[in-house]
Amino acid sequence: MKKKIVIIGGVAGGATAATRLRRLSENDEIILFEKGEYISFANCGLPYHIGGTIKNRDDLLLQTVDGMSQQYGLDIRNFSEVTAIHPQKKSVSVTNHQTNETYEETFDQLIISTGAKAIVPPIEGLDTAENVFSLRNIPDMDHIKAYIKEHHVTQASIVGGGFIGLEMMENLVELGLQVHLIEMSDQVMPNIDFELAQILHAQIDLHGVDLILGDGLKAIQQQGRELLLTSGKKIPTDLTILAIGVTPESTLAKEAGIELGLRGAIKVDQKLRTNFPDIYAIGDVIEVTDFVNGTPTLIPLAWPANRQGRLVADIINGIDACYTATQGTSVAKIFELTAASTGNSEKTLKRLEIPYHSIHIHPNSHAGYYPGASPIALKLLFSPDGKILGAQGVGTDGVEKRIDVISTAMKFGATADELAGIELAYAPPYSSAKDPVNMLGYTADNLLTKRIETVSWQEVDELIEKEAYLLDIREEFEQATGKLPNSHSIPLSQLRARFAELPKDQTIYVYCQVGLRGYNAARILMQQGFPVKNIDGGYKTYKQAHYQVKQRANTTPPITPLTTPAESSNEATSKTIQVDACGLQCPGPILKVKESIDQMEDGQQLEVQASDFGFVADIEAWCKNTGNTLLENQIQGNKVTARIAKGTSGTPAAPPSALPKEGVLHETKDGATMVVFSGNLDKALASMIIASGAAAMGKKVTIFFTFWGLNILKKQKIQKRGLAKLFDLMLPSSANKLPLSNMNMGGMGSKMIQAVMKQKNVEPLPVMIEKASDLGVKFVACTMSMDIMGIERSELFDFVEYGGVATYLGDTTNADLNLFI
């Protein structure tokens, strides 16, 4: 039986429905009304034509009226606006804007695909501003592009940090404009969680955008030349784009008595039917069911609209089909980064009080040894029984691939731990033998089977405030990029040998850079009976979440090298060492820099490339905390390029461990020297405390150990003969066996002091000695005293130097502090 089907609106949903209807039936009469000129265009590509990435405007026009009409035998009426729907009469009122003709058209079935419209709140001054635009269609795009050219726009403001706002931001920067991005919430891109959005904030900062978060638009002033924000801040602007969001264009439906739901969207059932027989609705105008939590929601994306367009045609033609729910899988480009997500965010789960686990990993996009690998920040959310609730990713390469895999797994009911068993294509240019998706599965499995307990980055500040026991198991050179306050430090490689330093009466919160070594450390400690939890995602996730957006008082151009012409001379270039740190997992890039700097001369330059954009902040902090000079720190393509001069103005760089967490150490010319004659524990502790404090303040410290003081430097006992053996029987065998100068009580006093030190989390003397050495303290053993007392070099710590009184006296020349202990 021949049917007459009317469709209101083209583009993704309406055009797809029309062509599918024709493929299913050659007999039906199909009429498509579009109030504008264009019936099928790539609205997602509009910002990229404004920015010049898409050169040819016609490339955005997917189908013309004539072409689509002829190919599919459709009655397409553009410039024809449906002004009313009459459900009882089964007709619509139509106005032809070219002829001003008004008429009614009947239907057997009606499909509403009116989409969404830009949210334009009532803003003071908007009516008098000619330079304020929104972007929803081809004419909007043409107006914006023409205005920029004709009015010689140099700076623009974007209100709203969603998909359209971010895409417009990038494309206006590509045009060379200074851009202000204003977002009322504390983050851009609301579909991902704050800590991942912070990665985007850092990238936006790198491109010189004036990013203003937590502030809204209050008024438009001076005929659009100035924006007044709710904070009172004023922003000069030549052009403003309103990208606050979209709302369903459901006016026709409301006036016709069609039932509406969430935020005015049309309510439909799984057959996409409204409350009136033979009236259907699809696309951005309808309310959908959230795939994860089952609640009504709005998800204005292209894929659901296209899918619904196909399904509604099937349903009208008697095919058993239905649209059950929307996952909300999406992806966006933000400069060099890709951000993608599927399912629910952590914010949504918290709001709905749905219990969940959260894990973060930072794998490479492909095998690190193959050129071009770059890190991905991945987050997985799942229920206590393993149901996948959502996933998010940010990186430069391979992000959307991983989110697509997880989206597919969610669709077919896979659990979080089952991600480990998904067999994915592997070759070094594309992935790793254990794909990042697999790694999420392994990590989830460890949590679900209680092989590990974790705490989130959100809980860390409270742990710091409560003075919880935080254990940093990274190497010391990594800590120059930052660490958690009041952390205890034991590198993973030393952990098994230093169990005695750890408390068993309180939880140990262990962390590394990205979480993997923290997991390994936690497993070691758990099997030794220590109560332990791993900080999920490591220090990197915590650091990213605590990124501070740059405050720009005036307009600021995009990031430029920190060099001057003089610094770029041929002489400097000839000294430059090239280092490729691309593809290295953290802490690889910083380690490569440290190893290279250690071999260089003062003033020599190092140029390093890294594929992790987090390296921008890491290398800045590392240079500050090691006394080296950062000359250049910029993005080139999909890489970070940094250029470093060893030292500051010819001053040698201090060792990383000699510096505080933040700020620059300005090393002085003053030194400190000590003669340690005593072999008593209390005096040894005092000497280490003084030496370490002096070294941390930038002093060059030398400690000269003589006679009984040499016992402090003993690390092990060896076999001896003669008088040397006799001395050995009477002297302490190591730093742990030293007596007290008072109240020793046959060794009981010393043991009491050591017990109290452990209780108060004071490190044992041997650890203090090693840390003092790491701080740059110079330990010199008196060779004359060693000969008299029969002490061998093999008994002492490896870092000890050997000399006589001349060595000590030479160092006192530059010292303003001399002690005898």
Side-chain angles (χ1 to χ4, degrees):
M1 179 179 174
K2 183 177 180 179
K3 303 183 291 292
K4 184 179 183 181
I5 305 166
V6 168
I7 303 169
I8 307 175
V11 198
T16 298
T19 55
R20 177 66 172 173
L21 284 166
R22 177 57 72 222
R23 284 192 292 268
L24 292 175
S25 173
E26 278 291 316
N27 297 322
D28 290 343
E29 181 182 359
I30 303 167
I31 304 172
L32 189 153
F33 291 109
E34 171 55 55
K35 67 179 180 180
E37 179 180 359
Y38 306 99
I39 53 149
S40 181
F41 61 90
N43 53 359
C44 295
L46 302 180
Y48 297 99
H49 179 58
I50 293 172
T53 301
I54 298 173
K55 305 293 184 185
N56 190 348
R57 178 180 179 274
D58 290 345
D59 289 345
L60 298 173
L61 306 178
L62 305 180
Q63 287 277 9
T64 64
V65 172
D66 289 342
M68 193 168 171
S69 297
Q70 293 171 8
Q71 183 176 351
Y72 292 98
L74 303 173
D75 182 356
I76 299 177
R77 307 177 191 178
N78 62 339
F79 298 110
S80 298
E81 181 178 2
V82 174
T83 57
I85 300 171
H86 311 290
Q88 307 301 335
K89 294 167 57 178
K90 298 187 74 171
S91 69
V92 296
S93 296
V94 184
T95 298
N96 184 318
H97 289 299
Q98 289 181 312
T99 64
N100 291 322
E101 175 191 4
T102 299
Y103 62 94
E104 283 198 15
E105 190 72 58
T106 61
F107 61 80
D108 294 317
Q109 284 90 23
L110 173 68
I111 300 172
I112 303 173
S113 180
T114 47
K117 58 184 177 182
I119 296 173
V120 182
I123 300 171
E124 179 186 342
L126 179 60
D127 294 341
T128 60
E130 296 181 353
N131 62 343
V132 180
F133 302 89
S134 57
L135 180 63
R136 290 295 297 166
N137 52 43
I138 295 286
D140 291 342
M141 177 191 75
D142 291 339
H143 291 152
I144 293 169
K145 196 170 177 66
Y147 190 91
I148 292 171
K149 182 178 180 181
E150 293 169 8
H151 292 81
H152 308 291
V153 170
T154 60
Q155 60 177 326
S157 298
I158 299 166
V159 183
F163 287 104
I164 295 174
L166 291 172
E167 289 166 356
M168 280 304 304
M169 170 199 70
E170 177 179 348
N171 282 281
L172 293 180
V173 169
E174 288 293 318
L175 289 177
L177 305 186
Q178 171 58 43
V179 177
H180 310 274
L181 179 62
I182 303 157
E183 169 55 51
M184 186 176 292
S185 77
D186 62 353
Q187 68 166 84
V188 300
M189 193 164 283
N191 55 298
I192 65 175
D193 287 312
F194 179 75
E195 70 275 22
L196 270 73
Q198 285 277 59
I199 304 173
L200 306 183
H201 299 160
Q203 198 74 2
I204 292 167
D205 266 346
L206 285 175
H207 285 270
V209 174
D210 180 21
L211 177 60
I212 303 168
L213 298 173
D215 209 348
L217 177 60
K218 182 178 181 180
I220 299 172
Q221 301 178 337
Q222 298 182 17
Q223 288 76 47
R225 300 297 171 183
E226 182 178 84
L227 304 182
L228 175 64
L229 307 186
T230 53
S231 65
K233 185 175 183 178
K234 294 182 178 180
I235 305 295
T237 186
D238 301 322
L239 169 81
T240 298
I241 307 291
L242 296 181
I244 298 170
V246 296
T247 188
E249 179 56 281
S250 57
T251 305
L252 283 174
K254 181 179 180 180
E255 293 173 348
I258 294 172
E259 186 179 358
L260 304 183
L262 184 67
R263 297 204 292 276
I266 298 174
K267 289 180 71 74
V268 295
D269 63 13
Q270 291 190 356
K271 298 292 185 181
L272 299 168
R273 294 175 299 204
T274 68
N275 56 314
F276 285 99
D278 298 320
I279 298 182
Y280 301 82
I282 59 173
D284 295 353
V285 74
I286 71 169
E287 173 189 280
V288 296
T289 299
D290 188 298
F291 176 84
V292 173
N293 60 58
T295 63
T297 188
L298 304 180
I299 303 180
L301 294 171
W303 186 91
N306 276 281
R307 178 64 177 160
Q308 293 156 12
R310 179 185 175 93
L311 291 179
V312 74
D314 290 352
I315 291 163
I316 287 172
N317 279 278
I319 297 173
D320 186 17
C322 61
Y323 187 85
T324 55
T326 301
Q327 281 179 240
T329 307
S330 63
V331 64
K333 178 180 179 292
I334 300 90
F335 295 113
E336 297 80 12
L337 293 179
T338 298
S341 68
T342 188
N344 285 180
S345 65
E346 189 170 358
K347 295 186 296 289
T348 300
L349 297 175
K350 283 182 177 178
R351 176 172 55 83
L352 297 175
E353 298 182 346
I354 297 173
Y356 66 92
H357 291 302
S358 171
I359 57 175
H360 297 75
I361 63 172
H362 300 270
N364 270 338
S365 56
H366 61 248
Y369 56 82
Y370 187 88
S374 59
I376 304 174
L378 282 174
K379 178 176 184 177
L380 184 70
L381 298 155
F382 52 97
S383 68
D385 63 358
K387 177 186 176 182
I388 303 174
L389 304 174
Q392 302 161 29
V394 176
T396 57
D397 186 39
V399 176
E400 72 287 354
K401 167 186 172 181
R402 273 68 190 208
I403 296 301
D404 283 345
V405 169
I406 297 169
S407 174
T408 304
M410 289 175 67
K411 185 71 174 179
F412 295 106
T415 56
D417 54 311
E418 288 177 330
L419 294 176
I422 296 179
E423 187 174 344
L424 299 170
Y426 161 63
Y430 305 106
S431 183
S432 299
K434 285 190 286 191
D435 189 86
V437 172
N438 300 139
M439 293 305 299
L440 282 171
Y442 291 125
T443 306
D445 179 64
N446 289 331
L447 206 58
L448 291 169
T449 55
K450 302 189 184 305
R451 294 189 185 95
I452 188 70
E453 289 186 69
T454 62
V455 293
S456 69
W457 67 266
Q458 295 101 320
E459 300 172 81
V460 171
D461 285 335
E462 185 179 353
L463 293 175
I464 294 170
E465 186 177 338
K466 291 181 177 179
E467 298 184 348
Y469 194 96
L470 302 172
L471 180 61
D472 187 343
I473 55 90
R474 298 174 299 164
E475 298 296 328
E476 287 205 39
F477 72 87
E478 299 176 70
Q479 297 174 22
T481 65
K483 64 178 183 178
L484 300 179
N486 303 319
S487 296
H488 302 264
S489 178
I490 300 179
L492 178 60
S493 58
Q494 302 175 24
L495 186 60
R496 289 183 176 87
R498 295 172 63 177
F499 289 147
E501 301 171 33
L502 298 172
K504 282 200 171 182
D505 58 349
Q506 64 181 120
T507 301
I508 299 170
Y509 296 93
V510 65
Y511 71 94
C512 64
Q513 192 69 6
V514 297
L516 179 58
R517 286 173 293 167
Y519 164 71
N520 292 334
R523 289 298 303 161
I524 293 169
L525 294 174
M526 287 173 70
Q527 294 176 73
Q528 295 297 319
F530 289 96
V532 60
K533 294 183 180 181
N534 187 26
I535 296 179
D536 172 49
Y539 181 72
K540 185 171 186 176
T541 299
Y542 176 85
K543 183 178 179 180
Q544 286 172 342
H546 286 75
Y547 175 78
Q548 295 295 314
V549 173
K550 294 180 180 178
Q551 302 299 313
R552 303 178 191 272
N554 300 305
T555 55
T556 307
I559 189 168
T560 55
L562 303 177
T563 55
T564 64
E567 292 168 338
S568 301
S569 65
N570 292 332
E571 182 182 358
T573 304
S574 66
K575 295 181 179 179
T576 300
I577 293 174
Q578 305 285 335
V579 171
D580 183 3
C582 294
L584 293 181
Q585 281 277 29
C586 197
I590 289 294
L591 176 57
K592 267 210 167 186
V593 170
K594 179 188 181 298
E595 290 173 343
S596 300
I597 289 286
D598 286 347
Q599 303 300 316
M600 290 164 53
E601 299 176 358
D602 291 345
Q604 194 171 4
Q605 293 184 13
L606 172 74
E607 184 177 284
V608 56
Q609 284 194 330
S611 50
D612 181 357
F613 286 108
F615 185 70
V616 169
D618 284 348
I619 194 61
E620 183 176 351
W622 188 86
C623 287
K624 284 181 178 180
N625 288 343
T626 55
N628 293 293
T629 304
L630 183 61
L631 300 174
E632 180 180 345
N633 195 15
Q634 64 173 333
I635 298 172
Q636 293 182 332
N638 283 344
K639 298 175 183 177
V640 174
T641 299
R643 190 157 56 86
I644 305 153
K646 182 171 181 177
T648 55
S649 301
T651 303
S657 55
L659 297 142
K661 180 186 173 186
E662 295 179 353
V664 182
L665 174 68
H666 297 288
E667 194 169 302
T668 69
K669 295 181 180 180
D670 300 326
T673 54
M674 282 187 276
V675 176
V676 178
F677 176 81
S678 172
N680 293 322
L681 175 62
D682 46 342
K683 295 179 180 180
L685 290 170
S687 64
M688 289 306 108
I689 292 169
I690 294 169
S692 298
M697 291 176 64
K699 292 183 179 295
K700 296 180 180 179
V701 181
T702 299
I703 312 180
F704 186 72
F705 293 84
T706 184
F707 284 98
W708 318 120
L710 289 168
N711 295 315
I712 298 171
L713 300 180
K714 289 183 178 178
K715 68 172 183 178
Q716 63 185 359
K717 192 171 184 177
I718 63 172
Q719 293 293 326
K720 297 180 182 178
R721 296 181 179 181
L723 286 175
K725 185 174 183 179
L726 185 59
F727 268 109
D728 232 20
L729 293 173
M730 295 184 291
L731 295 175
S733 59
S734 70
N736 277 325
K737 303 295 184 180
L738 299 181
L740 289 178
S741 60
N742 289 293
M743 298 175 59
N744 189 50
M745 297 180 293
M748 286 299 296
S750 179
K751 290 181 180 178
M752 287 170 59
I753 287 289
Q754 290 173 340
V756 173
M757 287 170 61
K758 184 176 181 181
Q759 184 180 3
K760 300 295 184 181
N761 293 325
V762 177
E763 292 169 326
L765 179 58
V767 177
M768 294 176 71
I769 293 170
E770 289 185 346
K771 289 201 169 182
S773 173
D774 291 337
L775 283 167
V777 174
K778 181 178 177 181
F779 290 78
V780 181
C782 175
T783 51
M784 182 195 70
S785 300
M786 290 175 65
D787 288 341
I788 292 172
M789 300 172 68
I791 295 176
E792 301 290 339
R793 295 191 179 195
S794 58
E795 294 179 69
L796 307 185
F797 287 103
D798 295 335
F799 49 76
V800 173
E801 300 179 29
Y802 301 91
V805 69
T807 303
Y808 162 70
L809 291 175
D811 286 348
T812 63
T813 304
N814 294 318
D816 67 345
L817 174 66
N818 293 283
L819 297 176
F820 186 89
I821 299 176

